[in-house]
Amino acid sequence: MNPCTRSLCLQGFGREKFWGSRDCVDFEHGMLLIKQQLCHARQAGGSCYLSSTKNNKSRCLALAPSVLRLFRMQKLKQNRQRLEAGDLWTENNLVFSNSTGGFLSYRTVYDCFKRVMKKIGSPATTFHDLRHTYAVLSLKGGDDIKTTQENLGHATPEFTLNVYAHVTSQMKRDSADRMEKMIQEVSAG
């Protein structure tokens, strides 16, 4: 799986967000500042450009160490591509770019993603499904709702709670089961 697809799977980025500028990656502290997203001009063959996020707010994410390693590997790959491309290189300072420094086409990323999903037996999976998976695993793993909301870039914790109420219901059941276990231990002692 290429670093672009892998980072989508591991960090819960929306497909528009992971094309951001490399200067938004703080390699020393393992942080990513998301302050823009990739947009496509509406007409056929339209160009790509970076724009502010849809809510005009930036957010800072702590990157999982494996995602930070992917970003480092990608930076090394781009350095090699820059040398190979020579004068053809266009410096856009992107985390993920094509072999000449330009924007990756949505179709290229999508086709690669779908090949990976088909290979692992999940051909119907969409980019957005990965965000849902990230959110569910985040909540089930013990992240509080505010952290999950901020990582996903949702406007409010209430929105995140509404979307993932099924997860929080299971978390309530798990909490009751843990409480029962403690009651049983105390009662037995």
Side-chain angles (χ1 to χ4, degrees):
M1 192 181 311
N2 69 35
C4 183
T5 304
R6 190 172 285 181
S7 65
L8 274 169
C9 294
L10 298 174
Q11 198 67 43
F13 300 134
R15 70 172 188 247
E16 302 88 6
K17 306 297 188 297
F18 69 89
W19 273 282
S21 297
R22 198 176 324 113
D23 63 355
C24 293
V25 180
D26 180 345
F27 287 100
E28 185 179 335
H29 298 101
M31 302 298 285
L32 174 68
L33 175 64
I34 296 179
K35 61 182 181 180
Q36 56 197 356
Q37 63 184 359
L38 184 68
C39 297
H40 301 271
R42 295 269 181 219
Q43 70 274 16
S47 61
C48 298
Y49 58 95
L50 291 173
S51 178
S52 60
T53 60
K54 65 182 170 186
N55 61 9
N56 290 318
K57 292 182 181 178
S58 61
R59 68 184 193 272
C60 199
L61 301 177
L63 293 171
S66 55
V67 174
L68 192 59
R69 279 192 300 278
L70 288 171
F71 283 8
R72 283 191 175 109
M73 290 184 332
Q74 182 64 21
K75 186 176 180 182
L76 293 172
K77 177 183 175 185
Q78 283 178 327
N79 289 341
R80 288 190 302 274
Q81 288 175 324
R82 184 181 291 108
L83 291 173
E84 290 170 8
D87 292 340
L88 296 176
W89 184 265
T90 303
E91 187 55 68
N92 288 304
N93 201 28
L94 301 170
V95 173
F96 296 103
S97 64
N98 64 25
S99 61
T100 58
F103 294 109
L104 289 171
S105 78
Y106 172 76
R107 191 76 212 176
T108 299
V109 174
Y110 177 81
D111 289 347
C112 177
F113 172 76
K114 291 312 269 183
R115 279 192 305 274
V116 170
M117 293 301 108
K118 184 177 180 181
K119 186 176 181 179
I120 65 170
S122 189
T125 301
T126 66
F127 284 128
H128 205 72
D129 292 339
L130 298 178
R131 280 179 56 80
H132 287 294
T133 301
Y134 171 84
V136 168
L137 293 175
S138 175
L139 291 168
K140 283 187 173 183
D143 286 354
D144 62 84
I145 198 70
K146 182 67 177 164
T147 300
T148 302
Q149 171 249 322
E150 288 181 1
N151 284 346
L152 292 170
H154 291 161
T156 65
E158 292 77 20
F159 177 84
T160 307
L161 279 169
N162 287 338
V163 173
Y164 298 104
H166 63 285
V167 176
T168 54
S169 295
Q170 180 59 48
M171 291 167 65
K172 288 177 187 176
R173 180 78 260 146
D174 293 344
S175 175
D177 292 345
R178 283 190 303 274
M179 184 56 69
E180 178 61 22
K181 184 178 177 184
M182 285 189 280
I183 291 169
Q184 293 301 321
E185 288 173 2
V186 169
S187 298

